[in-house]
Amino acid sequence: MLEAGGEEYLRAGALPHMWCPGCGIGIVLGALLRTFAELEYAKNEIVVVTGIGCTGKADDYLSTNALHVTHGRALAFATGVKAYKPGLKVVVIMGDGDSVTIGGNHFIHAARRNIDLTAIVINNFNFGMTGGQASATTPGGKFSSTTLYGNPERDFDVSALACVAGANYVARSTPYHGWALKQHIKEALCKKGFSLVEVFSPCPTNYGKYNEMGDPLKMLNWLKEKGVSREKYEQLEEPEKEDYFAIGTFCDRNSPDFNSRYEEIRARATGKG
Ligand code: SF4
């Protein structure tokens, strides 16, 4: 259970929200706003960048600065904001379509640059808003509106991708693990460099329906049962691993971020370094 707080970052009159009953997006947004409050962020120092789709609607409800941009390009716009105004706190909220399907290339390069922003990827395993089509995170063999007989492709491990591409902080949680989710968001916001919090939050309306996962309560219980610590996950035998997923922190390091390296080079180039 999460505590109250963060209402000051909501836009007056914007509620009720558009998300389906049982969707995890609202829980993630609530955790983010409570973390803003805990860190005492001023509204005008925050920029929330979103793309398209159900998760891309998150900025509609915020009273912070916000940029709502084209599909798959949220990280590209956010990179521009951070490069131009390094003092701003930039948070990018994306689904799996924006982050690693349509926007996959931007995701890899944002992590590689180690640009100082926080990406929150709400991984619902499909394109929810447009009817549940397969995305780059729909697991192999699973069903969607475009893979009615099973997905022939393999899925991206979003967290692993960010770690190997060079992110400074990477963690995974779920809407069921609300307290841990908020702690990960806090650690990500406080980390200099590219930080990612991936949230496994399967879409009840489409992915859950096509894969017969039951109602949203059953899906929350599925997250509770299947999400295990990294240590426990590593101890599982190979076939068992397919039934579970790891949650927790996957990498936490302090490599220099893009803006710091850029400033060093600029100082050298102008004879001030
Ligand atoms: S379609 Fe799926 S992801 Fe979109 S709001 Fe509904 S439950 Fe959430």
Side-chain angles (χ1 to χ4, degrees):
M1 178 69 82
L2 286 171
E3 74 277 29
E7 294 87 352
E8 62 271 37
Y9 302 97
L10 283 172
R11 193 161 60 80
L15 295 177
H17 60 70
M18 54 74 68
W19 297 306
C20 306
C23 182
I25 298 173
I27 295 174
V28 181
L29 188 63
L32 175 67
L33 301 192
R34 289 180 189 99
T35 311
F36 283 163
E38 205 170 301
L39 295 173
E40 299 182 351
Y41 281 4
K43 285 186 205 177
N44 63 4
E45 63 178 347
I46 305 166
V47 181
V48 173
V49 185
T50 62
I52 301 298
C54 299
T55 303
K57 297 294 284 177
D59 64 289
D60 286 12
Y61 309 109
L62 302 183
S63 60
T64 64
N65 298 302
L67 260 183
H68 183 68
V69 304
T70 47
H71 211 176
R73 312 299 170 219
L75 278 168
F77 280 85
T79 297
V81 171
K82 189 68 190 187
Y84 185 58
K85 292 269 185 189
L88 292 172
K89 300 179 188 310
V90 181
V91 179
V92 190
I93 309 177
M94 299 167 284
D96 39 282
D98 263 323
S99 57
V100 295
T101 312
I102 295 172
N105 203 34
H106 296 299
F107 183 85
I108 293 166
H109 291 291
R112 177 183 64 82
R113 286 188 188 105
N114 203 20
I115 186 96
D116 181 26
L117 52 81
T118 295
I120 297 177
V121 172
I122 304 179
N123 183 353
N124 61 20
F125 303 151
N126 69 178
F127 284 97
M129 183 178 265
T130 46
Q133 295 86 355
S135 78
T137 64
T138 305
K142 294 296 183 187
F143 304 101
S144 72
S145 64
T146 49
T147 56
L148 290 172
Y149 296 93
N151 183 15
E153 298 185 6
R154 294 182 298 177
D155 52 313
F156 263 138
D157 180 330
V158 180
S159 290
L161 185 62
C163 287
V164 297
N168 260 359
Y169 179 88
V170 176
R172 183 189 290 138
S173 192
T174 83
Y176 175 81
H177 302 86
W179 179 253
L181 168 64
K182 184 167 152 291
Q183 287 303 111
H184 286 308
I185 292 174
K186 187 174 180 184
E187 285 166 16
L189 289 172
C190 294
K191 173 64 68 175
K192 198 164 180 64
F194 186 82
S195 56
L196 166 72
V197 179
E198 181 189 12
V199 187
F200 267 18
S201 181
C203 161
T205 299
N206 294 302
Y207 186 81
K209 180 185 74 180
Y210 282 109
N211 291 281
E212 299 181 352
M213 295 179 79
D215 62 26
L217 181 58
K218 273 197 175 151
M219 292 180 70
L220 270 181
N221 278 321
W222 180 86
L223 292 170
K224 173 188 175 188
E225 186 191 330
K226 302 295 182 185
V228 296
S229 68
R230 262 182 85 187
E231 296 72 23
K232 197 168 170 192
Y233 184 79
E234 290 308 322
Q235 286 165 8
L236 295 172
E237 298 296 331
E238 214 40 64
E240 251 189 317
K241 279 187 172 166
E242 289 192 10
D243 285 337
Y244 293 87
F245 59 88
I247 53 175
T249 305
F250 299 118
C251 76
D252 187 353
R253 53 198 167 206
N254 294 302
S255 299
D257 69 302
F258 170 81
N259 285 91
S260 305
R261 292 192 316 264
Y262 181 80
E263 282 310 317
E264 262 180 48
I265 290 167
R266 189 161 74 157
R268 274 209 305 277
T270 55
K272 293 176 187 158

